Amino acid sequence: MERSDSGAFLRSGEQTAGINNLMLFYNGHYKNDAGVWRKEQFIPYISYIDAEGKPLEWLFDGALFLAKWSYSSNGFEESEEHPNDQKDWQWYLDKTFAESGELSALNEAMEEVALKLADPEHKMKVVLMIPYPAPNQQNFGEISDDNKSLCFDHTIVSAVEATRNKQKALEWYIGQLLERWENADLPFLELKALYWMNEAVNTSVPYEEGLIGWTGDMVRAKGLKFFWIPYYRASLYWKWKELGFDAAAMQPNHFFTKTGESRVGIAANMAKQAGMGVEIEVDSRVFESNGDFRAKYENYLAGGARYGYSGEVFKGYYQDVKLLFDAAYAEEPEKRQIYDLTYQFIKGRYKR
């Protein structure tokens, strides 16, 4: 599929808080502690490193922290079996803002690289997730002095009460987040946006669209932008501006499905027609010897020029958890090349 002449991709600018290439850092709970990030693990993302690990220039300009699961195995997205609760939200804030947490580690990495690149004024733009208030949560927890646990389930309480309870929880979470940010010592980081964790709009939930819009208004009132990355053909993806988001990127979901290269073009044209950016997707299967997943990944990179989303178009980068770190330090040249190709794509020098 060739480029479409209709619509225009979302470009880096005011709507995206100046972010062009946004790396997704998953820092939730994993049995192998993969969601724990150390200073040195951030360095090949914030900067392009050579084979000896020396930073040569800045790389990703945005860092999105988000999580799929809490310590309790509850999901931060919509989950029929394990809806998240107040303790999960609290745990995520505690982990992310801890003295040895991810934000502190990223700040230390930025300070180290800024010194090596002789660029002490450079800062990383940070985006933090907003957990999804699960509509089947009947016992979210207490966040006020009335000792009343919030119910989000409109089949148990009225739709109006369920929505208001979600708003109370969101107000509490965002207030906690901003207070912690203000009190944190993170001079090399800038908080620029918050991210809506659920990747589709649940149109069966009363007032869901209004809740998203209300959240966006609250986020902007705090001087921040509101981001979203819906999956391929997610419900109401095309309506992202009306819903209240400032910036959005489309997931092609090509890497994870039995689709040909045309999926990248189809998704790119959908994103272009909706005025969105595009997500680049990869996981550890790109290292498999048969080369099938490597070819899939390169379809995304080659698609940048072919379909028009290279350069200043807003892009998110999904890498499972630490794929590009593994690639950067891989001893095998074919694995390291995945890192180098990603760098070339970001800098506009990729050639298939």
Side-chain angles (χ1 to χ4, degrees), residues 253-264:
N253 296 149
H254 166 55
F255 193 87
F256 320 108
T257 56
K258 294 181 179 180
T259 53
E261 190 278 338
S262 62
R263 166 61 77 86
V264 176

Side-chain angles (χ1 to χ4, degrees), residues 10 23 29 48-49 53 71 176 179 246 292 324:
L10 176 62
M23 171 50 67
H29 175 74
Y48 174 67
I49 62 169
Y71 72 101
Q176 285 278 312
E179 181 178 346
D246 295 293
D292 291 347
L324 289 179

Side-chain angles (χ1 to χ4, degrees), residues 92-99 101 103 128 177 180-181 184 186:
Y92 184 73
L93 288 171
D94 290 345
K95 179 181 186 299
T96 305
F97 282 93
E99 287 187 14
L103 290 174
L128 298 177
L177 184 156
R180 288 166 184 251
W181 184 275
L186 304 168

Side-chain angles (χ1 to χ4, degrees), residues 105-218:
L106 176 60
N107 186 72
E108 291 176 12
M110 288 293 299
E111 182 175 16
E112 180 176 312
V113 173
L115 179 63
K116 292 181 178 179
L117 295 181
D119 189 5
E121 302 301 317
H122 191 89
K123 296 186 178 184
M124 175 62 74
K125 299 176 178 65
V126 173
V127 183
L128 298 177
M129 79 158 183
I130 299 175
Y132 180 60
N136 59 333
Q137 176 56 265
Q138 300 176 9
N139 186 24
F140 176 76
E142 303 169 11
I143 59 170
S144 60
D145 297 330
D146 61 7
N147 298 318
K148 183 178 180 181
S149 181
L150 299 176
C151 175
F152 299 161
D153 191 334
H154 68 275
T155 68
I156 303 299
V157 299
S158 72
V160 171
E161 183 177 350
T163 303
R164 181 55 191 148
N165 287 341
K166 294 174 189 177
Q167 291 174 330
K168 289 179 181 178
L170 291 167
E171 284 178 321
W172 170 82
Y173 177 85
I174 293 172
Q176 285 278 312
L177 184 156
L178 293 176
E179 181 178 346
R180 288 166 184 251
W181 184 275
E182 185 175 341
N183 293 330
D185 182 20
L186 304 168
F188 289 87
L189 308 183
E190 298 176 306
L191 181 62
K192 288 294 188 178
L194 300 184
Y195 173 77
W196 187 251
M197 190 62 198
N198 214 41
E199 297 176 357
V201 178
N202 190 334
T203 56
S204 67
V205 177
Y207 308 123
E208 181 88 343
E209 293 181 45
L211 179 69
I212 295 171
W214 176 90
T215 305
D217 289 341
M218 177 169 56

